[in-house]
Amino acid sequence: AIASIRKLGRRYIIDLKVLDPNKNEYLVTGKEEGEDKESISSMIDKLAEKTRAGLREKGQEIQIASQRVAEITTMNLEAYHHYFLGEQFVNKLKWREAEAEFRKAVALDSTFPMAYYRTAYVLVWQGLSVVNEPIRKAMQYLQKAPKKERYFIRGLNAVIEGKIEESIAIYEELLKSYPEEKEALFEVGDQLFHK
């Protein structure tokens, strides 16, 4: 999938192309335009629906499994930007920097469950004991998180509560649907190691 976003004045244009690398041909192409930054989430939703239809997913399946981007992340692009930066710091094991970015994200969107979850996650990795508030907030807004990420939030909540068996069961449940999810595989191994 190759995507680009351009800004022309106040307008935003998103182009998406899905390429079959074996045949070197496009399977799906799509383009959406919006009047301002706030329209980007709905533009992504429209492109996602067109892409799924173009890849011949059944209309009923698209309707059942569709979630709006703003509902499962945040409508605040600046909050998402800080969340994204936080994730980059996590990948570099820069816990303090990641924490700062995730805290900026929740300051901009107080209902952003993934930013709360990742705040708690980096606090755990720093060995800090002030994880209760961010994980409680992540659990409060759990239904706003994407399906896969709900497992991670619940799993970390169980770890923080000292329910290691429960956390392992949650991560193993996640692995039934996403068997190659590296972070879940790590969490199962890590919890078994500490147990």
Side-chain angles (χ1 to χ4, degrees), residues 64-158:
I64 291 171
S66 289
Q67 287 184 282
R68 291 182 15 201
V69 169
E71 290 174 355
I72 58 172
T73 57
T74 177
M75 290 186 72
N76 187 312
L77 292 178
E78 189 177 350
Y80 189 82
H81 174 72
H82 287 292
Y83 172 77
F84 182 78
L85 291 175
E87 285 295 327
Q88 290 180 321
F89 284 125
V90 165
N91 291 334
K92 296 174 184 174
L93 306 179
K94 293 186 175 187
W95 306 121
R96 286 190 190 110
E97 294 89 341
E99 177 189 352
E101 293 300 332
F102 294 136
R103 289 194 183 276
K104 288 175 188 174
V106 296
L108 292 164
D109 180 351
S110 63
T111 66
F112 193 176
M114 291 305 299
Y116 283 118
Y117 157 69
R118 289 309 248 184
T119 302
Y121 180 84
V122 298
L123 291 171
V124 166
W125 272 98
Q126 292 178 79
L128 302 175
S129 59
V130 290
V131 297
N132 291 338
E133 180 62 17
I135 198 63
R136 184 185 66 74
K137 290 293 231 176
M139 289 294 290
Q140 180 181 345
Y141 298 109
L142 184 67
Q143 294 308 311
K144 196 175 175 220
K147 181 182 175 186
K148 180 171 68 170
E149 282 70 13
R150 290 177 198 167
Y151 288 104
F152 284 112
I153 294 170
R154 290 176 39 237
L156 183 62
N157 185 59

